[in-house]
């Protein structure tokens, strides 16, 4: 199947999907996860073609290539994974989907082989129980280790160099990105490297000019500045007691930098450049993350202090050199000290003019990854 963003597709029946899976519930090493069965027979628009993704397992955060992959804007509910609250975007293989003309639902009638001998000769290699059983195993110490699309990412993808131009062509041809979006992304990278904005020693004028231009045009401030707290010193904490549905405003970039150490961390949670475009804006709380599956180990981890996921806020991959235009749309996590309660009448703050001094020695740049 070859579909683009915005095209309508229908998820095949459970029986048809099981026929594509091996005994471990995988196709080309991509796990089909138990919660995906509930979408069988339903129709959705393609959210993004997943021709590439980003490596969140090894810690390199580089690009990875994926064959025949799609995102339908459906996320993992975590029920089969110890109640994980990360809400990862699900990957779908083209073999699990079929193109359709529109959203009209039709009664799905699975194809049946009328020859008993043919059915006996090709029994399903995988059952629904196999899919569920493949989600978890117990180690020698009895600790559960989970296996999902996030933990197995390196097994069903291949390395993708940032200079491979085909991925940027695919970004446009797939409908994932528009030409203006791609142009703005490359303009940022050319400016970042071409003007030495990345340099501690020589980059101050370029960062200052970037912020001046963005303040005039209403754009996003230079997104790779350092925090102000020396490594080893404690970073501040603030508890707002947030709950899903609460309305919050993201603080200004300048205010958030004051809560970060020079490695852009607040009590272990990093503040990435992809969070900067949301500063000063108002959102509702979607989830307060207390537990998640560690993609590196497969173990369920609990947060000492819950992180916050905001409705409609995910990574756009606009400022990340090695994973530009990644379609994975990972939820961005926020500390409560980066937020403040807001009223229904709240409006976003204008923050660009307040960070003119952000490129000074008290807030140095960070190299993109």
């Amino acid at each position: 199947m070859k579909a683009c963003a915005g095209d309508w597709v229908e998820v095949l029946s459970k029986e048809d999907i099981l026929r594509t899976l091996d005994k471990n519930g995988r196709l080309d090493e991509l796990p089909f996860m138990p919660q995906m069965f509930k979408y069988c027979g339903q129709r959705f628009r393609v959210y993004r073609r997943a021709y590439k993704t980003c490596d969140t397992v090894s810690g390199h955060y580089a690009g990875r290539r994926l064959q025949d992959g799609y995102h339908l804007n459906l996320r993992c509910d975590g029920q089969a994974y110890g109640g994980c609250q990360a809400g990862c975007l699900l990957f779908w293989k083209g073999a699990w989907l079929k193109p359709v003309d529109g959203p009209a639902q039709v009664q799905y009638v699975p194809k049946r082989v009328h020859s008993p001998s043919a059915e006996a000769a090709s029994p399903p290699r995988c059952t629904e129980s196999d899919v569920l059983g493949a989600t978890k195993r117990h180690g020698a110490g009895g600790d559960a280790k989970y296996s999902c699309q996030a933990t197995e990412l390196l097994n069903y993808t291949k390395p993708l160099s940032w200079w491979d131009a085909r991925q940027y062509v695919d970004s446009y041809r797939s409908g994932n990105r528009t030409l203006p979006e791609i142009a703005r992304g490359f303009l940022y990278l050319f400016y970042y490297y071409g003007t030495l904005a990345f340099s501690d020693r020589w980059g101050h004028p370029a960062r200052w000019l970037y912020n001046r231009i963005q303040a005039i045009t209403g754009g996003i401030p230079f997104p790779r500045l350092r925090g102000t707290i020396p490594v080893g010193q404690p970073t501040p904490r603030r508890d707002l007691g947030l709950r899903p549905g609460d309305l919050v405003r993201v603080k200004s970039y300048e205010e958030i930098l004051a809560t970060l150490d020079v490695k852009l961390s607040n009590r272990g949670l990093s503040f990435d450049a992809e969070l900067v475009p949301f500063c000063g804006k108002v959102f509702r709380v979607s989830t307060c993350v207390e537990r998640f599956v560690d993609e590196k180990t497969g173990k369920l981890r609990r947060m000492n202090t819950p992180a916050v996921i905001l409705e409609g806020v995910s990574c756009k991959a606009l400022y990340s050199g090695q994973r530009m235009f990644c379609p994975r749309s990972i939820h961005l996590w926020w500390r409560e000290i980066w937020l403040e309660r807001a009223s229904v009448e709240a409006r976003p703050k204008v923050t660009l003019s307040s960070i003119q001094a952000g490129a000074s020695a008290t807030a140095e740049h960070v190299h993109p990854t």
Side-chain angles (χ1 to χ4, degrees):
M1 188 190 77
K2 199 74 169 181
C4 295
D7 290 347
W8 284 95
V9 295
E10 182 176 305
V11 181
L12 298 184
S13 71
K14 181 188 299 184
E15 293 77 13
D16 286 343
I17 289 177
L18 287 172
R19 291 190 184 97
T20 71
L21 306 178
D22 62 22
K23 194 63 176 175
N24 295 316
R26 303 181 183 189
L27 174 59
D28 298 333
E29 297 301 323
L30 175 64
F32 187 90
M33 304 202 295
Q35 64 269 40
M36 298 167 71
F37 282 122
K38 64 185 177 184
Y39 300 115
C40 288
Q42 298 184 45
R43 295 185 175 190
F44 304 93
R45 282 190 184 274
V46 173
Y47 170 62
R48 294 282 190 269
R49 189 193 296 171
Y51 63 92
K52 64 182 285 187
T53 190
C54 55
D55 173 7
T56 53
V57 179
S58 70
H60 296 152
Y61 298 100
R64 304 282 298 186
R65 182 172 291 281
L66 173 65
Q67 295 294 326
D68 195 30
Y70 296 89
H71 293 304
L72 305 182
N73 209 13
L74 301 172
R75 293 185 178 270
C76 176
D77 59 19
Q79 292 184 9
Y81 303 92
C84 173
Q85 297 173 292
C88 297
L89 199 63
L90 297 171
F91 288 91
W92 298 81
K93 278 288 192 178
W96 302 336
L97 310 169
K98 69 175 183 179
V100 291
D101 294 332
Q105 297 291 326
V106 296
Q107 184 176 3
Y108 189 85
V109 180
K111 297 179 181 179
R112 297 187 179 276
V113 180
H114 297 288
S115 169
S117 59
E119 290 185 354
S122 57
R125 295 175 296 174
C126 183
T127 66
E128 188 172 356
S129 296
D130 292 331
V131 173
L132 182 60
T135 62
K136 182 172 63 174
R137 66 183 187 277
H138 291 278
D143 294 336
K145 290 189 176 182
Y146 292 95
S147 176
C148 65
Q149 292 182 346
T151 64
E152 301 303 309
L153 185 139
L154 298 183
N155 294 327
Y156 60 84
T157 61
K158 296 180 179 179
L160 177 63
S161 300
W162 68 265
W163 59 81
D164 187 338
R166 293 173 296 176
Q167 63 185 297
Y168 307 117
V169 175
D170 286 341
S171 292
Y172 174 70
R173 294 180 62 184
S174 66
N176 286 6
R177 305 283 181 162
T178 65
L179 284 178
E181 286 176 321
I182 295 172
R184 285 194 296 269
F186 279 117
L187 182 61
Y188 165 77
L189 286 182
F190 290 151
Y191 187 92
Y192 185 87
Y193 290 106
T195 64
L196 301 181
F198 63 89
S199 171
D200 285 334
R201 184 174 182 181
W202 307 107
H204 173 72
R207 296 192 293 272
W208 177 87
L209 179 61
Y210 186 100
N211 284 331
R212 288 289 295 175
I213 294 173
Q214 294 294 82
I216 294 171
T217 61
I220 305 301
F222 191 79
R224 292 194 175 276
L225 304 176
R226 290 196 187 275
T228 59
I229 301 174
V231 174
Q233 291 189 14
T235 51
R237 168 178 176 170
R238 183 183 182 189
D239 296 325
L240 300 178
L242 296 176
R243 294 291 182 268
D246 288 349
L247 200 65
V248 296
R249 179 191 291 108
V250 180
K251 290 182 178 180
S252 71
Y253 189 23
E254 182 184 35
E255 290 174 304
I256 292 175
L257 285 172
T259 72
L260 305 174
D261 63 25
V262 294
K263 292 186 177 180
L264 287 177
S265 175
N266 179 283
R267 292 177 295 115
L269 184 62
S270 296
F271 185 87
D272 188 78
E274 299 296 338
L275 282 78
V276 176
F278 302 102
C279 289
K281 298 181 180 179
V282 176
F283 304 94
R284 289 198 181 275
V285 174
S286 172
T287 307
C288 296
V289 181
E290 298 178 343
R291 56 192 177 277
F292 66 97
V293 171
D294 188 329
E295 297 168 351
K296 299 178 178 63
T297 66
K299 294 182 178 181
L300 190 69
R301 297 184 59 182
R302 296 188 179 276
M303 302 281 289
N304 293 327
T305 306
V308 177
I309 292 175
L310 304 177
E311 291 182 1
V313 177
S314 60
C315 177
K316 305 301 182 185
L318 296 176
Y319 302 106
S320 306
Q322 297 187 53
R323 47 193 170 93
M324 288 288 285
F325 313 127
C326 169
R328 195 174 174 187
S329 298
I330 295 174
H331 280 319
L332 300 176
W333 291 15
W334 304 81
R335 286 291 189 204
E336 290 194 359
I337 197 171
W338 302 340
L339 310 171
E340 58 188 7
R341 290 187 177 274
S343 63
V344 176
E345 296 80 15
R347 292 293 183 269
K349 291 181 178 179
V350 178
T351 63
L352 290 174
S353 60
S354 67
I355 53 85
Q356 295 302 314
S360 67
T362 59
E364 296 298 336
H365 80 284
V366 177
H367 199 281
T369 56

